[in-house]
Amino acid sequence: MSESLPPPIPAVGVVCLRGDEVLLIRRGTPPRVGEWSLPGGRIEPGETVRDAALRELREETGIEARLIGLIDVVDGIFPEAGRHYLLIDFMAEWTGGEPVAGDDAVEARFFPRAEAGQRVAWSETRRIIQAALTMRDAASASG
């Protein structure tokens, strides 16, 4: 436990799938500036986690989607940025729009599933993307 970090900040992340493509953003703000990641951000006071996920997706990428389910909750501890995020990650299915970077993102685009995993540097984000793809593939196979 790091005594120098403030309490965790609740935040959301979204694995948005369009067919076999995964939506990624290139981060424009700390932590992990310049790296490819999932759209997401802080939950605003009084906002539900699901509303926050869809709002952040829309603000950072211009994409509309419907949430499918919760993937996992991840601790994003970034001592170099002086931050600890509690990341609540959802899977979503694209329903409309083309990616346009906005808010904290400097770039936004869909990548084929294999390439998306290669673009992401943080192992936890790669794990979350793979978990979403596995969930989606299992749901497709069962029905």
Side-chain angles (χ1 to χ4, degrees):
M1 182 167 76
S2 176
E3 298 298 325
S4 63
L5 292 177
I9 299 164
V12 292
V14 180
V15 178
C16 183
L17 304 174
R18 180 174 73 179
D20 271 343
E21 296 179 309
V22 178
L23 180 63
L24 297 178
I25 56 114
R26 190 183 302 266
R27 296 191 50 80
T29 60
R32 308 184 85 82
V33 174
E35 291 186 11
W36 287 100
S37 189
L38 299 173
R42 295 178 188 195
I43 301 168
E44 299 295 333
E47 186 176 41
T48 69
V49 293
R50 293 181 188 307
D51 287 347
L54 293 173
R55 176 186 52 77
E56 285 288 345
L57 178 65
R58 196 170 28 260
E59 286 177 0
E60 290 192 345
T61 69
I63 293 295
E64 297 293 332
R66 71 180 178 92
L67 296 180
I68 304 298
L70 177 68
I71 302 168
D72 202 354
V73 178
V74 175
D75 284 290
I77 301 173
F78 305 103
E80 70 281 3
R83 296 206 172 89
H84 175 182
Y85 293 99
L86 187 63
L87 302 165
I88 304 159
D89 290 312
F90 288 95
M91 179 172 63
E93 181 178 59
W94 171 86
T95 59
E98 287 300 319
V100 177
D103 198 26
D104 296 338
V106 294
E107 193 173 349
R109 62 184 273 212
F110 281 99
F111 289 98
R113 65 190 290 168
E115 188 178 346
Q118 295 168 356
R119 294 257 177 185
V120 172
W122 191 31
S123 61
E124 277 298 286
T125 302
R126 286 194 307 271
R127 183 183 69 79
I128 291 297
I129 291 169
Q130 186 54 54
L133 292 166
T134 300
M135 283 173 63
R136 197 273 311 269
D137 292 348
S140 296
S142 68

